[in-house]
Amino acid sequence: MNHISDIEITIGSWTWVIPQSILVWFALCIIFAVFFYVAGKRIDRADPAKASKGLVYVAEEMLNLAIYVTGNNLKDKVYHYLPVFGTLLFMMAAANLVGLLGWQNPTSNVSFNGTLAICVFLTTQYHGIKKGGLVNRLKELAEPFWFLFPLNIIGELAPVISLTMRLFGNMLAGYLITALVYTLMANTMPFGILGFAVTPFLHMYFDIFSGCIQSFIFFTLSSYFIGQQVADQEE
Amino acid sequence: MEFNADFVKGMACLGAGIAMIAGLGPGIGQGIAASRGAEAVGRNPDAQGKIQSTMVLGIALAETTGIYSLIIAILLIFVI
């Protein structure tokens, strides 16, 4: 595993290390910012009567995918939350696919995943408290029986840990297994060339399949938790 | 036997092996989910797209505890 591209910033006696995964995330932010800006300009100029092609078509399909993932859970407030969910869905899918290029992907850094999960938790609690006040929220947690109150509190904290660890475990396992296979190939070099028959399948499963499925699941679950607080639940 | 750093390393690797016994759970659970999914498609072939995405969602959720044990095993091998 190469650490040649960590950036270390030393201010006085305090050293701040930015690992490679976060540098990859910065690069992804710049690429996606340019992409969304250019797509926005083209959509403003596009003619709604004709069939769209090119970048406008790609943007429409991305919108349909984001609505498909979150629409069932955020029933009437989909368009209100679409900016944050749509952006993060595609950036996380792209971040998971960076493993194909050989770099360390941002989601294999546990603090990155923890930040996203804590943001979802804070959004859920904020909207729950804004809906009826703090006392009503605590009454909701005592819902079927009053002595289930501690279990419901744990049930609110558990999704944070589980969202973080599910994404982190899948991405870190993929990164470690492919790095170990490549190290083995490099150490047994004349015979190691046969390893190239195996590595495409590893990349296919760990990076493409697992990456896209995990990002889909993260946002389906996040939209479920936020939808519980925000959307009207018709029975 | 002396309890030095090699002993700790060896016991940590043994613990990693014991931790991965938890890989049994997701194997059985995902198999049950996939079998019910296949049965549902057999009963109603028109809804194959929706059944497949629901099944994939359930399968990846059931995998979570297996991933927890994998994280513990990786921590034991590489950090301790």
Side-chain angles (χ1 to χ4, degrees):
Chain A
M1 290 170 253
N2 54 339
H3 290 287
I4 55 175
S5 53
D6 292 348
I7 290 186
E8 291 198 3
I9 304 176
T10 312
I11 305 179
S13 65
W14 172 60
T15 311
W16 182 27
V17 177
I18 304 181
Q20 189 184 37
S21 16
I22 307 297
L23 295 176
V24 171
W25 178 251
F26 286 157
L28 271 178
C29 283
I30 295 176
I31 292 176
F32 269 89
V34 168
F35 169 71
F36 285 133
Y37 181 74
V38 169
K41 289 286 178 195
R42 295 236 182 127
I43 289 174
D44 282 340
R45 283 199 313 248
D47 185 5
K50 292 200 287 235
S52 50
K53 54 188 197 304
L55 205 57
V56 180
Y57 177 69
V58 170
E60 277 183 17
E61 289 303 313
M62 286 166 73
L63 176 75
N64 284 337
L65 181 64
I67 292 181
Y68 173 74
V69 169
T70 57
N72 273 337
N73 298 324
L74 300 168
K75 301 178 189 60
D76 47 340
K77 299 264 180 25
V78 168
Y79 291 107
H80 184 70
Y81 286 98
L82 201 57
V84 61
F85 278 122
T87 312
L88 278 176
L89 176 68
F90 290 103
M91 290 185 78
M92 187 185 279
N96 288 342
L97 291 176
V98 161
L100 285 172
L101 295 174
W103 291 322
Q104 191 171 4
N105 46 7
T107 41
S108 71
N109 191 348
V110 68
S111 8
F112 184 80
N113 301 336
T115 308
L116 287 173
I118 288 178
C119 287
V120 169
F121 174 70
L122 288 177
T123 307
T124 314
Q125 302 308 317
Y126 171 70
H127 282 289
I129 292 179
K130 195 167 89 157
K131 201 167 60 169
L134 188 56
V135 183
N136 276 339
R137 178 90 183 106
L138 292 177
K139 276 193 196 154
E140 268 181 29
L141 286 179
E143 239 332 271
F145 301 106
W146 63 271
F147 50 84
L148 289 181
F149 186 71
L151 287 178
N152 277 335
I153 289 195
I154 296 183
E156 295 289 324
L157 291 176
V160 176
I161 311 265
S162 102
L163 281 172
T164 308
M165 287 301 166
R166 182 183 301 122
L167 195 53
F168 171 63
N170 274 305
M171 292 300 124
L172 186 70
Y175 176 72
L176 273 179
I177 290 179
T178 44
L180 282 174
V181 168
Y182 279 129
T183 309
L184 180 65
M185 280 166 53
N187 282 341
T188 66
M189 200 40 217
F191 302 105
I193 207 80
L194 295 174
F196 278 120
V198 171
T199 48
F201 298 102
L202 284 180
H203 275 300
M204 206 161 67
Y205 175 71
F206 283 116
D207 290 324
I208 301 182
F209 180 73
S210 190
C212 294
I213 295 277
Q214 290 305 316
S215 117
F216 168 72
I217 291 214
F218 188 94
F219 286 104
T220 304
L221 279 176
S222 316
S223 65
Y224 174 74
F225 290 123
I226 293 183
Q228 289 282 79
Q229 299 302 323
V230 161
D232 349 315
Q233 310 285 330
E234 306 104 38
E235 290 296 327
Chain B
M1 104 178 48
E2 35 180 297
F3 301 106
N4 53 5
D6 284 342
F7 182 76
V8 171
K9 187 75 182 167
M11 292 305 256
C13 290
L14 189 63
I18 295 178
M20 285 313 290
I21 295 179
L24 196 59
I28 296 181
Q30 290 176 347
I32 292 179
S35 84
R36 299 296 173 95
E39 187 181 344
V41 170
R43 222 181 281 172
N44 188 5
D46 291 332
Q48 201 239 349
K50 279 193 186 172
I51 292 176
Q52 190 168 339
S53 28
T54 307
M55 182 187 82
V56 165
L57 183 68
I59 281 181
L61 278 175
E63 195 166 16
T64 308
T65 49
I67 298 290
Y68 291 165
S69 78
L70 178 68
I71 291 177
I72 300 291
I74 288 181
L75 272 176
L76 279 172
I77 294 183
F78 286 108
V79 175
I80 295 191

